[in-house]
Amino acid sequence: MTLAEQMLDTYPADLGGVDRRKLAACITECYACAQACTACADACLSEDDVASLTKCIRADLDCADICFATGQMLSRHTGYDANLTRAMLEACAMACKSCGDICAEHDHMTHCAKCAMECRNCERACRELLDSLG
Amino acid sequence: MTLAEQMLDTYPADLGGVDRRKLAACITECYACAQACTACADACLSEDDVASLTKCIRADLDCADICFATGQMLSRHTGYDANLTRAMLEACAMACKSCGDICAEHDHMTHCAKCAMECRNCERACRELLDSLG
Amino acid sequence: MTLAEQMLDTYPADLGGVDRRKLAACITECYACAQACTACADACLSEDDVASLTKCIRADLDCADICFATGQMLSRHTGYDANLTRAMLEACAMACKSCGDICAEHDHMTHCAKCAMECRNCERACRELLDSLG
Amino acid sequence: MTLAEQMLDTYPADLGGVDRRKLAACITECYACAQACTACADACLSEDDVASLTKCIRADLDCADICFATGQMLSRHTGYDANLTRAMLEACAMACKSCGDICAEHDHMTHCAKCAMECRNCERACRELLDSLG
């Protein structure tokens, strides 16, 4: 059981009809993707051809900020706001899609390959949670 | 001239057709709203009737995280992604609307009154920037 | 192998003499602790006796912010600044110690018990990385 | 009166013997510096000689994260932890000093010149608050 799942199980009030497995998975992916994007941006900075990677770095930085904000929000259940949750999940899925696509363009660099994979994982987790919210 | 405007003027490449005044205003409001919401959440924690303010605190925390992520994103212009910018501005305006509405319900507390006012300012700045993006 | 370790292995330049295992472990704990503290603060908000938990909530919020900033910083290796890294690791270990101590005082609530445990893990990871930096 | 000062004035409990003017000034500078560093990192990405600016970008990113965490922490007064506050103010002053020094090395670029100036302002505000804490 991941720590996010364990924390979810300790919430003292009603979580509503949320799919706990999908919620916990999405929380975990949001923080993991924030870390991977931050590391990828920095790895890009150390590549010889950093000048060709500036859009990738920018996408990484945005994705890290948005994934973190989304992970923080999903970790809270008190006074749940369904519309805001959906809007952030949509924005997060979109950030992960953009960043994943850009990283996948130069996946001969292993940091971009790994980061693209994590962005796909996080995008999927956001979409699956969104679908389960109805 | 605000610091956000000054920084915007130093950007060495083309900013496209963006309305610089509205962009700079929105950046400034995003950071100001993040601060106000963080301070309001903490002030709520020191109220005698904190138990009646838990939804307000949660709205403050979400709004602070989302405003910060939006301010960070709007501070970047390299590899601009119009769809993601719109999605985050929508989410940020929504977070500010929710938080402002909740704070306005108990504006006999000056921290909530001030925070509601700042949320309105930030929501308006997001909407005006969104409208100008076409 | 954790994702943080995998990302570390993709860094294209020299990492200096850093202990990779301890660095990756500390990165992982920083993000995990940020999530646990955010979830614990929210769980506290849903407890009937939230009024007795306000210092715990505040410690959680600080610890989450500091752990995230530390995790971000440790995910970067380009232009490594040893003194700043040490200062942030000290601050992060201190934040985890404070938050862990406060949560441990009411570990009859499982969110505080789990959060205290994660704070101890993160504090230890920071201290072990600090020690290895010499 | 700045918004940070106004929010400080709304805090419903005792603020202890803190110098309100210096505290509010430091909060304002932390958020302003986070924004300036984020904008400077992005402006560097759009410079033709980005390859010579990678250490500056990294310093900007760290400084933004640390200033934001410090600004968040200083915006909270409930359950004040003097030692942790001092440790974060020291780390923040150090991050601002490093980033300001690096930006000042190439202040022929106006984003680095402006960012260096803001880093100096934030460093000074942190030091003045630290001194006033005794």
Side-chain angles (χ1 to χ4, degrees):
Chain A
M1 199 152 83
T2 63
L3 184 59
E5 281 181 280
Q6 293 178 49
M7 291 308 297
L8 202 54
D9 278 352
T10 69
Y11 187 67
D14 189 16
L15 279 169
V18 73
D19 183 319
R20 282 162 176 267
R21 200 185 51 76
K22 286 181 181 168
L23 175 55
C26 193
I27 294 169
T28 299
E29 295 300 347
C30 282
Y31 289 88
C33 198
Q35 197 275 323
C37 287
T38 300
C40 184
D42 181 71
C44 286
L45 285 179
S46 278
E47 292 285 353
D48 289 337
D49 59 342
V50 57
S52 71
L53 298 171
T54 56
K55 287 182 186 178
C56 184
I57 294 170
R58 192 257 156 98
D60 278 330
L61 297 177
D62 278 1
C63 197
D65 284 332
I66 295 171
C67 283
F68 179 63
T70 307
Q72 294 279 96
M73 191 189 182
L74 294 176
S75 299
R76 302 179 186 119
H77 320 294
T78 305
Y80 173 69
D81 181 331
N83 290 334
L84 186 56
T85 302
R86 272 195 202 93
M88 275 304 284
L89 282 170
E90 287 285 2
C92 193
M94 198 182 289
C96 292
K97 172 86 171 73
S98 289
C99 190
D101 285 352
I102 293 174
C103 279
E105 283 172 28
H106 22 74
D107 58 3
H108 56 284
M109 294 178 294
T110 47
H111 49 85
C112 282
K114 292 274 181 200
C115 188
M117 199 182 62
E118 178 51 35
C119 286
R120 301 307 190 208
N121 290 343
C122 191
E123 184 195 355
R124 190 181 316 114
C126 289
R127 295 260 169 243
E128 290 185 2
L129 181 57
L130 264 172
D131 289 347
S132 78
L133 295 177
Chain B
M1 200 154 79
T2 64
L3 184 59
E5 280 182 279
Q6 293 178 49
M7 291 307 298
L8 202 54
D9 279 352
T10 69
Y11 187 68
D14 189 16
L15 279 170
V18 74
D19 184 318
R20 283 161 175 267
R21 199 186 51 76
K22 287 182 180 168
L23 175 55
C26 193
I27 293 170
T28 299
E29 295 300 348
C30 281
Y31 289 88
C33 198
Q35 197 274 324
C37 287
T38 299
C40 184
D42 182 71
C44 286
L45 285 180
S46 279
E47 292 286 353
D48 289 337
D49 59 343
V50 57
S52 72
L53 297 171
T54 56
K55 287 181 186 177
C56 184
I57 295 170
R58 191 258 156 98
D60 278 331
L61 297 177
D62 279 1
C63 198
D65 284 331
I66 295 172
C67 283
F68 178 63
T70 306
Q72 294 278 96
M73 191 188 183
L74 295 176
S75 299
R76 300 177 188 122
H77 320 294
T78 305
Y80 173 69
D81 181 331
N83 290 333
L84 185 55
T85 301
R86 272 195 204 93
M88 276 303 285
L89 282 169
E90 286 286 2
C92 193
M94 198 181 290
C96 292
K97 172 85 170 75
S98 290
C99 190
D101 285 351
I102 292 173
C103 279
E105 283 171 29
H106 22 75
D107 58 4
H108 56 281
M109 294 178 293
T110 48
H111 49 85
C112 282
K114 292 273 181 198
C115 188
M117 198 182 62
E118 178 51 36
C119 286
R120 301 309 189 206
N121 289 344
C122 192
E123 183 195 355
R124 191 182 315 114
C126 288
R127 295 258 168 246
E128 290 185 2
L129 181 57
L130 263 171
D131 289 347
S132 77
L133 295 178
Chain C
M1 200 154 79
T2 64
L3 184 58
E5 280 181 281
Q6 292 178 49
M7 291 308 298
L8 203 54
D9 279 353
T10 69
Y11 186 69
D14 189 16
L15 279 169
V18 74
D19 184 318
R20 284 162 175 266
R21 199 185 52 75
K22 287 181 180 167
L23 174 55
C26 193
I27 293 170
T28 298
E29 294 301 348
C30 282
Y31 289 88
C33 198
Q35 197 275 323
C37 288
T38 300
C40 184
D42 181 72
C44 287
L45 285 180
S46 278
E47 293 285 354
D48 289 337
D49 59 342
V50 57
S52 71
L53 297 171
T54 56
K55 286 182 186 177
C56 183
I57 294 170
R58 192 261 157 97
D60 278 330
L61 297 178
D62 278 2
C63 197
D65 283 331
I66 295 171
C67 283
F68 178 63
T70 307
Q72 294 279 95
M73 191 188 183
L74 294 177
S75 299
R76 301 178 187 121
H77 320 294
T78 305
Y80 173 69
D81 181 331
N83 289 334
L84 186 56
T85 301
R86 272 195 204 93
M88 275 303 285
L89 282 169
E90 287 286 3
C92 192
M94 198 182 290
C96 291
K97 172 85 170 75
S98 290
C99 190
D101 285 352
I102 293 173
C103 279
E105 283 171 29
H106 22 74
D107 58 3
H108 56 282
M109 294 178 294
T110 48
H111 49 85
C112 282
K114 291 273 181 199
C115 188
M117 198 182 62
E118 177 52 35
C119 286
R120 301 307 190 207
N121 289 343
C122 191
E123 183 195 355
R124 191 183 315 115
C126 289
R127 294 259 168 244
E128 290 185 1
L129 181 57
L130 264 171
D131 289 346
S132 78
L133 295 178
Chain D
M1 200 154 81
T2 64
L3 184 58
E5 280 181 281
Q6 293 178 49
M7 291 307 299
L8 202 54
D9 278 353
T10 70
Y11 187 69
D14 189 16
L15 280 169
V18 74
D19 183 320
R20 283 160 176 268
R21 200 185 51 76
K22 287 182 180 167
L23 175 54
C26 193
I27 293 170
T28 299
E29 296 300 347
C30 281
Y31 289 88
C33 199
Q35 197 275 324
C37 288
T38 299
C40 184
D42 181 71
C44 287
L45 285 180
S46 279
E47 293 284 354
D48 288 338
D49 59 341
V50 58
S52 71
L53 299 170
T54 55
K55 286 182 186 178
C56 183
I57 295 170
R58 192 257 156 100
D60 278 330
L61 297 177
D62 279 2
C63 197
D65 284 331
I66 294 170
C67 283
F68 178 64
T70 306
Q72 294 278 97
M73 191 188 182
L74 294 176
S75 298
R76 301 179 186 120
H77 321 293
T78 306
Y80 173 69
D81 180 331
N83 290 333
L84 185 56
T85 301
R86 273 195 203 93
M88 274 304 285
L89 282 169
E90 287 286 2
C92 193
M94 199 182 289
C96 292
K97 172 86 170 73
S98 290
C99 189
D101 285 351
I102 292 174
C103 278
E105 284 172 29
H106 23 74
D107 58 3
H108 56 283
M109 295 179 293
T110 47
H111 50 84
C112 282
K114 291 274 182 199
C115 188
M117 199 182 62
E118 178 51 36
C119 286
R120 301 306 190 207
N121 290 343
C122 191
E123 183 194 354
R124 190 182 316 114
C126 289
R127 294 259 167 246
E128 289 185 2
L129 181 57
L130 264 171
D131 289 347
S132 77
L133 295 177

